[in-house]
Coordinates of all heavy atoms in Angstrom, one line a residue:
M874 N 128.3 -69.6 20.8 CA 129.0 -68.6 21.6 C 128.5 -67.2 21.2 O 128.2 -67.0 20.0 CB 130.5 -68.7 21.2 CG 131.4 -67.9 22.0 SD 133.1 -68.4 21.7 CE 134.0 -67.0 22.2
I875 N 128.3 -66.4 22.2 CA 127.8 -65.0 21.9 C 129.0 -64.0 22.2 O 129.6 -64.1 23.3 CB 126.7 -64.7 22.9 CG1 125.7 -65.8 23.1 CG2 126.0 -63.4 22.5 CD1 124.9 -66.2 21.8
V876 N 129.3 -63.2 21.2 CA 130.4 -62.3 21.4 C 130.0 -60.9 21.0 O 129.1 -60.7 20.1 CB 131.6 -62.7 20.5 CG1 132.2 -64.0 21.1 CG2 131.3 -62.8 19.1
I877 N 130.6 -59.9 21.6 CA 130.4 -58.5 21.2 C 131.5 -58.0 20.3 O 132.7 -58.2 20.6 CB 130.3 -57.6 22.5 CG1 129.1 -58.0 23.3 CG2 130.3 -56.1 22.2 CD1 129.0 -57.3 24.7
N878 N 131.1 -57.4 19.2 CA 132.2 -57.1 18.2 C 132.5 -55.6 18.3 O 132.0 -54.8 19.1 CB 131.7 -57.5 16.8 CG 130.4 -56.7 16.3 OD1 130.3 -55.5 16.5 ND2 129.5 -57.4 15.7
D879 N 133.4 -55.2 17.4 CA 133.9 -53.8 17.4 C 132.9 -52.7 17.1 O 133.2 -51.5 17.2 CB 135.1 -53.7 16.5 CG 136.3 -54.4 16.9 OD1 136.4 -54.8 18.1 OD2 137.2 -54.7 16.1
D880 N 131.7 -53.1 16.7 CA 130.7 -52.1 16.4 C 130.1 -51.6 17.7 O 129.3 -50.6 17.6 CB 129.6 -52.7 15.5 CG 130.0 -53.0 14.1 OD1 131.0 -52.4 13.7 OD2 129.4 -53.8 13.4
C881 N 130.4 -52.2 18.8 CA 129.8 -51.8 20.1 C 130.1 -50.3 20.4 O 131.2 -49.9 20.2 CB 130.4 -52.6 21.2 SG 129.9 -52.1 22.9
I882 N 129.1 -49.5 20.7 CA 129.2 -48.1 21.0 C 129.2 -47.8 22.5 O 129.0 -46.7 22.9 CB 128.1 -47.3 20.3 CG1 126.7 -47.8 20.6 CG2 128.3 -47.4 18.8 CD1 125.6 -46.9 20.1
N883 N 129.3 -48.9 23.3 CA 129.3 -48.8 24.8 C 128.1 -48.1 25.3 O 128.2 -47.3 26.3 CB 130.6 -48.0 25.2 CG 131.9 -48.8 24.8 OD1 131.9 -50.0 24.7 ND2 132.9 -48.1 24.5
C884 N 127.0 -48.4 24.8 CA 125.7 -47.7 25.2 C 125.2 -48.3 26.6 O 124.4 -47.7 27.2 CB 124.6 -47.9 24.2 SG 123.9 -49.5 24.1
D885 N 125.7 -49.5 26.9 CA 125.4 -50.0 28.3 C 124.0 -50.7 28.3 O 123.6 -51.2 29.4 CB 125.4 -48.9 29.3 CG 125.8 -49.3 30.7 OD1 126.1 -50.5 30.8 OD2 125.8 -48.5 31.6
M886 N 123.3 -50.7 27.2 CA 121.9 -51.3 27.3 C 121.9 -52.8 27.6 O 120.9 -53.3 28.2 CB 121.2 -51.0 25.9 CG 120.6 -49.7 25.8 SD 119.7 -49.5 24.2 CE 118.4 -50.6 24.4
C887 N 122.8 -53.5 27.1 CA 122.8 -55.0 27.3 C 123.2 -55.4 28.7 O 122.7 -56.5 29.2 CB 123.8 -55.6 26.3 SG 125.5 -55.0 26.4
V888 N 123.9 -54.5 29.4 CA 124.4 -54.9 30.7 C 123.3 -55.3 31.7 O 123.3 -56.4 32.3 CB 125.3 -53.8 31.3 CG1 125.8 -54.2 32.7 CG2 126.5 -53.6 30.4
P889 N 122.3 -54.5 31.9 CA 121.2 -54.9 32.8 C 120.3 -56.0 32.3 O 119.6 -56.5 33.1 CB 120.5 -53.6 33.0 CG 120.7 -52.8 31.8 CD 122.1 -53.1 31.4
E890 N 120.4 -56.3 31.0 CA 119.5 -57.3 30.5 C 120.1 -58.7 30.7 O 119.4 -59.7 30.5 CB 119.3 -57.1 29.0 CG 118.7 -55.8 28.6 CD 117.3 -55.6 29.2 OE1 116.6 -56.7 29.4 OE2 116.9 -54.5 29.6
C891 N 121.4 -58.8 31.0 CA 122.0 -60.1 31.2 C 121.6 -60.7 32.5 O 121.9 -60.2 33.6 CB 123.5 -60.0 31.1 SG 124.3 -61.6 31.3
P892 N 121.0 -61.9 32.5 CA 120.5 -62.5 33.7 C 121.6 -63.1 34.6 O 121.4 -63.4 35.8 CB 119.6 -63.7 33.2 CG 120.2 -64.0 31.9 CD 120.7 -62.7 31.3
V893 N 122.8 -63.2 34.1 CA 123.9 -63.8 34.9 C 125.1 -62.8 35.0 O 126.2 -63.2 35.4 CB 124.4 -65.1 34.3 CG1 123.3 -66.2 34.3 CG2 124.9 -64.9 32.8
E894 N 124.9 -61.5 34.7 CA 125.9 -60.5 34.9 C 127.2 -60.9 34.2 O 128.3 -60.7 34.8 CB 126.1 -60.1 36.4 CG 124.8 -59.6 37.0 CD 124.9 -59.2 38.4 OE1 126.1 -59.0 38.9 OE2 123.9 -59.0 39.1
A895 N 127.1 -61.3 33.0 CA 128.3 -61.8 32.2 C 128.9 -60.7 31.4 O 129.9 -60.9 30.7 CB 127.9 -63.0 31.4
I896 N 128.3 -59.4 31.4 CA 128.8 -58.4 30.5 C 129.5 -57.3 31.3 O 128.9 -56.7 32.2 CB 127.7 -57.8 29.6 CG1 126.9 -58.9 28.9 CG2 128.2 -56.8 28.6 CD1 125.7 -58.5 28.2
D897 N 130.7 -57.0 30.9 CA 131.5 -56.0 31.6 C 132.3 -55.2 30.6 O 132.5 -55.6 29.5 CB 132.5 -56.6 32.6 CG 131.9 -57.1 33.9 OD1 131.2 -56.2 34.5 OD2 132.1 -58.2 34.3
M898 N 132.7 -54.0 31.0 CA 133.5 -53.2 30.1 C 134.9 -53.8 29.9 O 135.5 -54.2 30.9 CB 133.7 -51.8 30.7 CG 134.3 -50.8 29.8 SD 133.4 -50.4 28.3 CE 134.6 -49.6 27.3
G899 N 135.3 -53.9 28.6 CA 136.6 -54.4 28.3 C 137.6 -53.3 28.1 O 137.3 -52.1 28.5
S900 N 138.7 -53.5 27.4 CA 139.6 -52.5 27.1 C 139.1 -51.4 26.2 O 139.5 -50.2 26.3 CB 140.9 -53.1 26.6 OG 140.7 -53.8 25.4
E901 N 138.3 -51.8 25.2 CA 137.8 -50.8 24.3 C 136.3 -50.8 24.2 O 135.7 -49.8 23.8 CB 138.4 -51.1 22.9 CG 139.9 -50.9 22.9 CD 140.5 -50.9 21.5 OE1 139.8 -51.3 20.5 OE2 141.7 -50.6 21.4
H902 N 135.6 -51.9 24.5 CA 134.2 -51.9 24.4 C 133.7 -53.0 25.4 O 134.5 -53.8 25.9 CB 133.6 -52.1 23.0 CG 134.1 -53.4 22.3 ND1 133.8 -54.7 22.7 CD2 135.0 -53.6 21.3 CE1 134.4 -55.5 21.9 NE2 135.2 -54.9 21.1
F903 N 132.4 -53.1 25.5 CA 131.8 -54.1 26.4 C 132.2 -55.5 25.9 O 132.2 -55.7 24.7 CB 130.3 -53.9 26.6 CG 130.0 -52.9 27.6 CD1 129.9 -51.5 27.2 CD2 129.9 -53.2 29.0 CE1 129.7 -50.5 28.2 CE2 129.6 -52.2 29.9 CZ 129.5 -50.9 29.5
E904 N 132.4 -56.4 26.8 CA 132.7 -57.8 26.5 C 131.9 -58.8 27.3 O 131.5 -58.5 28.4 CB 134.2 -58.0 26.7 CG 135.1 -57.2 25.8 CD 136.6 -57.3 26.1 OE1 136.9 -58.0 27.1 OE2 137.4 -56.8 25.4
I905 N 131.8 -60.0 26.7 CA 131.1 -61.1 27.4 C 132.0 -62.0 28.1 O 132.9 -62.5 27.4 CB 130.1 -61.8 26.5 CG1 129.0 -60.9 26.0 CG2 129.5 -63.1 27.1 CD1 128.2 -61.4 24.9
N906 N 131.9 -62.2 29.4 CA 132.7 -63.2 30.1 C 132.2 -64.6 29.7 O 131.1 -65.0 30.2 CB 132.6 -63.0 31.6 CG 133.4 -63.9 32.4 OD1 133.8 -65.0 32.0 ND2 133.8 -63.5 33.6
Q907 N 132.9 -65.3 28.9 CA 132.5 -66.6 28.4 C 132.3 -67.7 29.5 O 131.6 -68.7 29.3 CB 133.4 -67.1 27.3 CG 133.5 -66.1 26.1 CD 132.1 -65.9 25.4 OE1 131.2 -66.8 25.5 NE2 131.9 -64.8 24.8
S908 N 133.0 -67.5 30.6 CA 132.8 -68.5 31.6 C 131.5 -68.3 32.4 O 131.1 -69.2 33.1 CB 134.0 -68.4 32.6 OG 134.1 -67.2 33.3
L909 N 130.9 -67.1 32.2 CA 129.6 -66.9 32.9 C 128.4 -67.0 32.0 O 127.3 -67.4 32.4 CB 129.6 -65.5 33.5 CG 130.6 -65.2 34.7 CD1 130.5 -63.8 35.1 CD2 130.3 -66.2 35.8
C910 N 128.6 -66.6 30.7 CA 127.5 -66.6 29.7 C 126.8 -68.0 29.6 O 127.5 -69.0 29.3 CB 128.0 -66.1 28.4 SG 126.7 -66.1 27.1
V911 N 125.5 -68.0 29.7 CA 124.8 -69.3 29.5 C 123.9 -69.2 28.2 O 123.0 -70.0 28.1 CB 123.9 -69.6 30.7 CG1 124.8 -69.9 32.0 CG2 122.9 -68.5 31.0
E912 N 124.2 -68.2 27.4 CA 123.4 -67.9 26.2 C 121.9 -67.7 26.5 O 121.1 -68.0 25.6 CB 123.7 -69.0 25.1 CG 125.2 -69.1 24.8 CD 125.5 -70.0 23.6 OE1 124.6 -70.5 22.9 OE2 126.7 -70.1 23.3
C913 N 121.7 -67.3 27.7 CA 120.3 -67.0 28.1 C 119.4 -68.3 28.2 O 118.2 -68.1 28.4 CB 119.6 -66.0 27.3 SG 120.2 -64.3 27.7
E914 N 120.0 -69.4 28.1 CA 119.2 -70.7 28.3 C 118.6 -70.8 29.6 O 119.2 -70.6 30.7 CB 120.1 -71.9 28.0 CG 120.4 -72.2 26.5 CD 121.1 -73.5 26.3 OE1 120.8 -74.4 27.1 OE2 121.9 -73.5 25.4
G915 N 117.3 -71.0 29.6 CA 116.5 -71.1 30.9 C 116.0 -69.7 31.3 O 115.2 -69.7 32.3
Y916 N 116.4 -68.7 30.6 CA 115.9 -67.3 31.0 C 115.0 -66.7 29.9 O 114.0 -66.2 30.1 CB 117.1 -66.4 31.3 CG 117.9 -66.8 32.5 CD1 119.0 -67.5 32.3 CD2 117.5 -66.3 33.7 CE1 119.8 -67.9 33.5 CE2 118.3 -66.7 34.9 CZ 119.4 -67.4 34.7 OH 120.2 -67.8 35.8
Y917 N 115.6 -66.7 28.7 CA 114.9 -66.1 27.5 C 114.9 -67.0 26.3 O 115.8 -67.9 26.2 CB 115.5 -64.7 27.2 CG 115.6 -63.8 28.4 CD1 116.8 -63.5 29.0 CD2 114.4 -63.2 28.9 CE1 116.8 -62.6 30.1 CE2 114.4 -62.3 29.9 CZ 115.6 -62.0 30.5 OH 115.7 -61.2 31.6
D918 N 114.0 -66.7 25.3 CA 114.0 -67.5 24.1 C 115.2 -67.2 23.2 O 115.5 -68.0 22.3 CB 112.7 -67.1 23.3 CG 111.5 -67.7 24.1 OD1 111.6 -68.6 24.9 OD2 110.4 -67.2 23.8
Q919 N 115.8 -66.0 23.3 CA 117.0 -65.7 22.6 C 117.9 -64.9 23.5 O 117.5 -64.4 24.5 CB 116.6 -65.0 21.3 CG 116.0 -63.6 21.5 CD 115.8 -62.8 20.3 OE1 116.5 -63.0 19.3 NE2 114.9 -61.8 20.3
P920 N 119.2 -64.9 23.1 CA 120.1 -64.1 23.9 C 119.6 -62.7 24.1 O 119.4 -62.0 23.1 CB 121.4 -64.2 23.1 CG 121.3 -65.5 22.3 CD 119.8 -65.6 22.0
S921 N 119.4 -62.2 25.3 CA 118.8 -60.9 25.4 C 119.8 -59.8 25.1 O 119.4 -58.7 24.6 CB 118.3 -60.7 26.9 OG 119.3 -60.6 27.8
C922 N 121.1 -60.0 25.2 CA 122.0 -59.0 24.8 C 121.9 -58.8 23.2 O 121.9 -57.6 22.8 CB 123.5 -59.3 25.2 SG 124.0 -60.9 24.6
Y923 N 121.8 -59.9 22.5 CA 121.6 -59.8 21.1 C 120.3 -59.1 20.7 O 120.2 -58.3 19.8 CB 121.5 -61.2 20.5 CG 121.2 -61.4 19.1 CD1 122.2 -61.2 18.1 CD2 119.9 -61.7 18.7 CE1 121.9 -61.4 16.8 CE2 119.6 -61.8 17.3 CZ 120.6 -61.7 16.4 OH 120.3 -61.8 15.1
A924 N 119.2 -59.3 21.5 CA 117.9 -58.8 21.2 C 117.9 -57.2 21.5 O 117.2 -56.5 20.7 CB 116.8 -59.4 22.1
V925 N 118.6 -56.8 22.5 CA 118.5 -55.3 22.8 C 119.5 -54.5 22.1 O 119.3 -53.2 22.1 CB 118.6 -55.1 24.3 CG1 117.5 -55.9 25.1 CG2 120.0 -55.5 24.9
C926 N 120.6 -55.0 21.6 CA 121.6 -54.2 21.1 C 121.1 -53.3 19.9 O 120.6 -53.9 18.9 CB 122.8 -55.0 20.6 SG 124.2 -54.0 20.0
P927 N 121.2 -52.0 20.0 CA 120.7 -51.2 18.9 C 121.6 -51.1 17.7 O 121.1 -50.6 16.6 CB 120.6 -49.8 19.6 CG 121.7 -49.8 20.6 CD 121.8 -51.2 21.1
V928 N 122.8 -51.6 17.7 CA 123.7 -51.5 16.6 C 124.2 -52.8 16.1 O 125.2 -52.9 15.3 CB 124.9 -50.5 16.9 CG1 124.4 -49.1 17.1 CG2 125.7 -51.0 18.1
D929 N 123.5 -53.9 16.4 CA 123.9 -55.2 16.0 C 125.4 -55.6 16.3 O 126.1 -56.1 15.4 CB 123.6 -55.4 14.5 CG 122.1 -55.4 14.2 OD1 121.3 -55.7 15.1 OD2 121.8 -55.0 13.0
A930 N 125.8 -55.2 17.5 CA 127.2 -55.5 17.9 C 127.3 -56.8 18.6 O 128.4 -57.2 19.0 CB 127.7 -54.3 18.8
V931 N 126.2 -57.5 18.7 CA 126.3 -58.9 19.3 C 126.2 -59.9 18.3 O 125.2 -60.0 17.5 CB 125.2 -59.1 20.4 CG1 125.3 -60.4 21.1 CG2 125.3 -58.0 21.5
D932 N 127.2 -60.8 18.2 CA 127.2 -61.9 17.2 C 127.0 -63.2 17.9 O 127.5 -63.5 19.0 CB 128.6 -61.9 16.5 CG 128.9 -60.7 15.6 OD1 127.9 -60.2 15.1 OD2 130.0 -60.3 15.5
I933 N 126.2 -64.0 17.2 CA 125.9 -65.4 17.6 C 126.8 -66.3 16.7 O 126.5 -66.4 15.5 CB 124.5 -65.8 17.6 CG1 123.6 -64.9 18.5 CG2 124.3 -67.2 18.0 CD1 122.1 -65.1 18.3
T934 N 127.8 -66.9 17.3 CA 128.7 -67.8 16.4 C 128.3 -69.2 16.7 O 127.6 -69.6 17.6 CB 130.1 -67.5 16.8 OG1 130.4 -68.2 18.0 CG2 130.4 -66.1 16.9
S935 N 128.8 -70.1 15.8 CA 128.5 -71.5 15.9 C 129.4 -72.3 16.8 O 129.2 -73.5 17.0 CB 128.5 -72.1 14.5 OG 129.8 -71.9 13.9
D936 N 130.3 -71.6 17.4 CA 131.3 -72.3 18.3 C 130.6 -72.8 19.6 O 129.7 -72.1 20.1 CB 132.4 -71.3 18.7 CG 133.2 -70.9 17.5 OD1 133.2 -71.7 16.5 OD2 133.9 -69.9 17.5
Ligands
SF4_1944 S1 123.6 -64.3 25.9 FE1 122.5 -63.9 27.7 S2 123.8 -64.8 29.4 FE2 125.1 -64.5 27.6 S3 125.9 -62.4 27.8 FE3 124.1 -62.2 26.6 S4 122.5 -61.7 28.0 FE4 124.2 -62.6 29.2
SF4_1945 S1 123.9 -53.0 23.7 FE1 125.3 -53.3 22.0 S2 126.3 -51.3 21.6 FE2 125.3 -51.3 23.7 S3 127.0 -51.9 25.1 FE3 125.8 -53.8 24.5 S4 126.9 -54.6 22.7 FE4 127.6 -52.5 23.0

């Protein structure tokens, strides 16, 4: 599971990188719609939101 944590500074960089448009603004910071996220499988070698985030606000969990 890929999640955006509270370190997110709402820079917007990950939004255009998501191939399935799973990232939207939440109540306080950007959030990943888990029903849409495919963890970039079939698109990239690693989650692109994780790769582009400048402040390490994207976590890859084992769930
Ligand atoms: S892991 Fe990939 S599919 Fe999931 S939110 Fe990030 S960029 Fe989008
Ligand atoms: S790239 Fe990182 S800091 Fe920027 S909006 Fe996405 S999760 Fe937040």
